[in-house]
Amino acid sequence: MANWTGASSAERRRIADVWLGQFGEALQRGDYARVGAMMHRDGYWRDLLTFGWEFTTSHGIDELRAWLPGAAGGSGVRGFRLEGEPSLGAMAEHGATLEFFFTFETAIAHGRGYARLVADADSPEALKAFTFLTTMKELKQFPERAGRNRPREDLRVSSRELESWLDKRNAARQFRDNDPEVVIIGGGQSGLMLAARLGQLDVRTLVVEKTGRVGDVWRDRYSSLKLHNEICMNHFAYVPFPDTWPVFIPKDKLANWLEFYAETMELNVWTRTTFLGGEYDAAARRWTIRLRKADGGTIVMRPSHIALAAGVSGIPSIPPIEGMNDFIGRIVHSSGNTDELEVKGKSVLVVGAGTSAHDIAQSLHLRGADVTMLQRSSITVVSLEPSSVRPYELYRQNDGVRPIADTDLIAASVPYALLARLHGPLSRQMAEDDKELLDGLRKVGFLLDNGEDDTGYFLKLLRYQAGYYLNIGASDLIIAGKIKLKPGLDITRLTARAVVFSDGSTLDADIVILATGYRPLQETVRDMFGDDVAERVGPIWGIGDDGELRGMYARTAQEGFYVAGGGLPGARAYSHYTALLIKAALEGLLPSCQPVPSVTQSMEQPTAHGRTERPDRSSEQRELAAE
Ligand SMILES: Cc1cc2nc3c(=O)[nH]c(=O)nc-3n(C[C@H](O)[C@H](O)[C@H](O)COP(=O)(O)OP(=O)(O)OC[C@H]3O[C@@H](n4cnc5c(N)ncnc54)[C@H](O)[C@@H]3O)c2cc1C
């Protein structure tokens, strides 16, 4: 075993095969001491729905001991098999890792996982798992109707039917005879991908979208916007972008893709339909919801499930500023249409220094405005190249080499706590590579940080979706003085024509743009469903004490309520699990999640898939702010 790094691929395969065989056997036997001994003492095991209806991360032997017996016991886990060829990699302080995909099954599901084995200083002869990911691929009884299992009709029978495919599509879309089982609020990328996944599982799903056309959420954003991350990581579930598309997708091109996707995946989307609110009837296990239709009328529906996919940004946060009513210029929040503002030759103050603030300031400068940015607190800035792409290197390397679902699995195998560890040194390296850019910014007084625990922008994205900027040019304009800067200040008040800052200085301004971020998504839940549901669901987004994203894609403590949202990679990868949870609930496989048990209770449950939701133990609710 000592020379495994230099072993032939056949030998590596044998090593992985033997290791996995022993591991699987020990797990099946319930020999958790042996399983624990095969994990590295610093190892992470992440499970997405196979050993419980939740996302779980255990780190180190003690956490594993507390989690594993309750989780794996009674799950019927068996049949671990190596899939494909193991590869060599490296992670954290481990200069060499042996990595491989594997499959397995439980009593009710087919699973798929990814393991990363490393040498162990305590027992050099043995390889141990540094990361181990187990995920539910499909419910055995309800496989997805895709690939070889795609829908097949008997043409001899269907050719005698009067209804065409189009007739059936139109009827399904209208929900004339029955209510949908799931209503998804919002037809952005998250809502659409979740709807597509549910459709593949034969779940009757309606997406309600308040704008006039699917994709308008992107069409309505400022015209200069292109996706900041590369196409290789942004593909949609089931339908990847064409090979001919550019690396950075313009927002209107993406908008049209959303519309195309909804049609091609046969999604039932009602546009010009606004979700107004709803209540949950726990006895009937159904929601009563109200929708405002295009004609202004309101209709009531009774789905069993709601998925909120109305954008993770929530409601714009508009700080109260003294003198707002005295100001005779325009005050606009960054979520509004800043493109339509007539700005040539005008003095514009952009309040905030997050991504939107930078993008808008850059666009305003381009259109001839005299722009000043008010930076209230420090942010992290990274160059687009080489730095911002580093966290996505995996997607770049695997682009066109592996199916994106495989890359998603490899990405999911790195729990958030481990990501934070990796991003310490990585972000410091980025700062080193970006020295010239960052020094330039410091010189003009721009306030910089590297995240609260020195882990850089990527962890800020995961924690707050805010507090960073990937430089696509605005930083250069700030350094060159073409976008002026007011760092470390706040607005004291507005007068008729000027802004007065906290240091007593003033700026004559025609327009003030508030790139001040958004209120927490929990407040959107409160507005739509009331206090009880909002409190049960708890804070959404950010990493919770259990090491997983709070309230996103997983079960919430509110029965029949899910939240989907965020960047394209997450929407693609995690909608798979939300769809499985909803399907399992509809088929009676998912136990009720109310009342919410204590953490101890939930660990004591005897069988894995009889367990209920781990409550959110995080105390802090963070505001999704632009800086
Ligand atoms: C300027 C900017 C640049 C970005 N760049 C990137 C990027 O490069 N890569 C990336 O992955 N992400 C990027 N993002 C993040 C981006 O917001 C998300 O990726 C994406 O928009 C989130 O998709 P979503 O489906 O969760 O929400 P949204 O796209 O916000 O969609 C929510 C939908 O819900 C609808 N809706 C809301 N309320 C209701 C209601 N009551 N009834 C009915 N419908 C409703 C809205 O009209 C909207 O269509 C960017 C965001 C911004 C603002």
Side-chain angles (χ1 to χ4, degrees):
M1 197 73 79
N3 280 332
W4 59 275
T5 50
S8 67
S9 54
E11 181 59 10
R12 285 205 297 261
R13 189 175 164 75
R14 194 193 66 76
I15 293 168
D17 212 15
V18 169
W19 188 94
L20 188 66
Q22 292 172 351
F23 189 90
E25 207 181 292
L27 196 57
Q28 191 175 341
R29 276 202 318 268
D31 184 352
Y32 303 119
R34 173 82 184 124
V35 173
M38 294 182 77
M39 293 291 296
H40 193 275
R41 64 188 177 292
D42 181 32
Y44 296 82
W45 186 331
R46 187 166 189 226
D47 181 66
L48 304 177
L49 304 188
T50 42
F51 298 122
W53 294 109
E54 60 198 1
F55 303 164
T56 314
T57 297
S58 303
H59 176 216
I61 301 300
D62 290 345
E63 281 187 24
L64 197 68
R65 277 202 194 113
W67 168 72
L68 193 56
S75 66
V77 61
R78 60 184 181 272
F80 279 81
R81 278 197 189 80
L82 190 64
E83 185 193 280
E85 290 300 316
S87 59
L88 288 180
M91 177 162 277
E93 63 274 29
H94 303 288
T97 53
L98 182 64
E99 308 188 5
F100 52 87
F101 289 95
F102 59 88
T103 57
F104 63 102
E105 58 185 289
T106 64
I108 63 162
H110 291 296
R112 195 160 180 243
Y114 192 77
R116 222 176 242 106
L117 307 187
V118 296
D120 183 12
D122 297 343
S123 47
E125 289 310 302
L127 284 180
K128 300 199 171 181
F130 178 51
T131 67
F132 199 71
L133 173 74
T134 41
T135 72
M136 186 187 286
K137 182 165 182 279
E138 63 183 5
L139 290 161
K140 284 179 180 171
Q141 280 181 280
F142 309 102
E144 275 203 21
R145 298 180 312 127
R148 289 185 173 196
N149 194 32
R150 68 173 71 242
R152 172 187 284 274
E153 60 185 334
D154 186 338
L155 288 181
R156 288 163 304 183
V157 176
S158 60
S159 59
R160 291 199 290 268
E161 288 174 358
L162 284 177
E163 269 194 320
S164 68
W165 169 84
L166 188 58
D167 296 331
K168 288 181 197 162
R169 269 300 298 133
N170 287 336
R173 222 190 294 257
Q174 286 163 11
F175 291 98
R176 263 196 306 245
D177 304 327
N178 47 28
D179 276 4
E181 291 162 314
V182 183
V183 169
I184 298 177
I185 308 167
Q189 67 218 21
S190 305
L192 296 181
M193 278 198 257
L194 179 58
R197 299 224 185 250
L198 287 165
Q200 290 305 114
L201 292 170
D202 274 332
V203 175
R204 276 198 328 276
T205 304
L206 168 66
V207 180
V208 292
E209 169 54 52
K210 67 181 178 186
T211 62
R213 265 173 84 188
V214 171
D216 275 355
V217 65
W218 286 99
R219 283 185 199 97
D220 291 346
R221 289 176 178 162
Y222 48 87
S223 59
S224 60
L225 178 62
K226 295 190 171 107
L227 286 187
H228 291 171
N229 44 29
E230 299 188 4
I231 192 166
C232 58
M233 60 188 306
N234 287 332
H235 295 293
F236 276 49
Y238 308 111
V239 194
F241 296 120
D243 280 350
T244 52
W245 274 38
V247 170
F248 297 106
I249 304 174
K251 56 116 185 164
D252 292 294
K253 197 170 172 69
L254 182 67
N256 293 345
W257 176 268
L258 258 64
E259 208 168 19
F260 157 79
Y261 185 78
E263 193 47 49
T264 209
M265 292 307 295
E266 302 186 12
L267 309 183
N268 306 314
V269 186
W270 289 1
T271 51
R272 292 184 206 283
T273 303
T274 302
F275 183 90
L276 297 175
E279 295 80 38
Y280 190 65
D281 178 343
R285 299 182 81 169
R286 298 221 154 250
W287 294 89
T288 301
I289 61 163
R290 292 170 297 285
L291 306 174
R292 191 173 56 234
K293 297 277 319 267
D295 60 10
T298 303
I299 66 165
V300 173
M301 283 186 156
R302 302 203 73 215
S304 57
H305 288 77
I306 296 285
L308 179 65
V312 287
S313 295
I315 304 157
S317 165
I318 300 183
I321 303 172
E322 192 188 321
M324 253 177 163
N325 294 335
D326 303 331
F327 186 65
I328 57 172
R330 297 270 313 262
I331 302 177
V332 185
H333 187 268
S334 59
S335 57
N337 191 347
T338 53
D339 282 341
E340 68 174 15
L341 295 170
E342 193 44 66
V343 298
K344 199 171 167 58
K346 301 243 168 91
S347 167
V348 186
L349 178 71
V350 178
V351 182
T355 297
S356 298
H358 277 82
D359 283 356
I360 290 169
Q362 186 174 6
S363 161
L364 292 168
H365 168 77
L366 206 69
R367 284 151 51 204
D370 179 10
V371 188
T372 304
M373 179 184 279
L374 172 61
Q375 185 190 19
R376 299 181 301 173
S377 52
S378 62
I379 67 155
T380 307
V381 176
V382 293
S383 65
L384 197 61
E385 290 266 12
S387 291
S388 80
V389 295
R390 284 184 180 229
Y392 310 130
E393 201 51 49
L394 177 71
Y395 283 92
R396 277 181 147 189
Q397 283 166 3
N398 288 342
D399 190 25
V401 176
R402 290 181 193 278
I404 196 139
D406 288 6
T407 313
D408 284 340
L409 212 66
I410 300 174
S413 74
V414 183
Y416 296 114
L418 179 54
L419 262 186
R421 269 170 70 176
L422 300 176
H423 276 266
L426 184 64
S427 66
R428 286 190 289 278
Q429 183 57 53
M430 290 180 195
E432 195 51 44
D433 294 344
D434 293 341
K435 191 171 179 329
E436 198 181 324
L437 168 72
L438 301 182
D439 282 349
L441 283 169
R442 277 188 203 101
K443 235 182 233 166
V444 294
F446 195 93
L447 305 172
L448 291 167
D449 65 43
N450 196 41
E452 66 202 29
D453 49 0
D454 207 16
T455 51
Y457 94 91
F458 197 70
L459 267 290
K460 281 188 167 183
L461 187 158
L462 292 172
R463 288 170 177 151
Y464 324 120
Q465 283 227 321
Y468 62 89
Y469 172 59
L470 314 180
N471 179 28
I472 57 164
S475 296
D476 306 282
L477 294 171
I478 292 169
I479 292 168
K482 292 179 178 165
I483 294 174
K484 294 172 201 145
L485 186 69
K486 286 271 185 189
L489 299 179
D490 220 325
I491 297 179
T492 308
R493 66 193 160 87
L494 294 174
T495 64
R497 295 181 187 281
V499 184
V500 182
F501 299 103
S502 47
D503 65 350
S505 63
T506 58
L507 176 81
D508 290 342
D510 302 300
I511 301 170
V512 173
I513 293 178
L514 300 173
T516 41
Y518 297 85
R519 285 163 58 204
L521 195 53
Q522 190 185 10
E523 297 312 307
T524 305
V525 178
R526 197 180 304 283
D527 283 357
M528 288 179 172
F529 301 98
D531 288 339
D532 282 356
V533 174
E535 291 312 315
R536 218 169 282 136
V537 170
I540 300 164
W541 199 266
I543 300 164
D545 288 353
D546 62 357
E548 295 289 337
L549 270 192
R550 299 184 298 184
M552 294 297 303
Y553 295 104
R555 284 179 99 184
T556 66
Q558 169 60 55
E559 184 109 54
F561 184 83
Y562 292 84
V563 185
L568 284 144
R572 177 187 62 244
Y574 288 91
S575 54
H576 170 70
Y577 304 105
T578 314
L580 283 173
L581 281 163
I582 292 175
K583 180 69 178 174
L586 291 169
E587 300 298 340
L589 293 168
L590 191 67
S592 166
C593 67
Q594 288 173 334
V596 183
S598 71
V599 176
T600 328
Q601 277 172 323
S602 103
M603 281 180 168
E604 282 171 2
Q605 293 283 346
T607 61
H609 280 89
R611 288 205 298 145
T612 50
E613 170 87 345
R614 233 188 230 204
D616 188 330
R617 282 167 285 147
S618 45
S619 55
E620 194 185 13
Q621 177 182 318
R622 302 200 89 102
E623 177 137 346
L624 288 167
E627 57 171 320

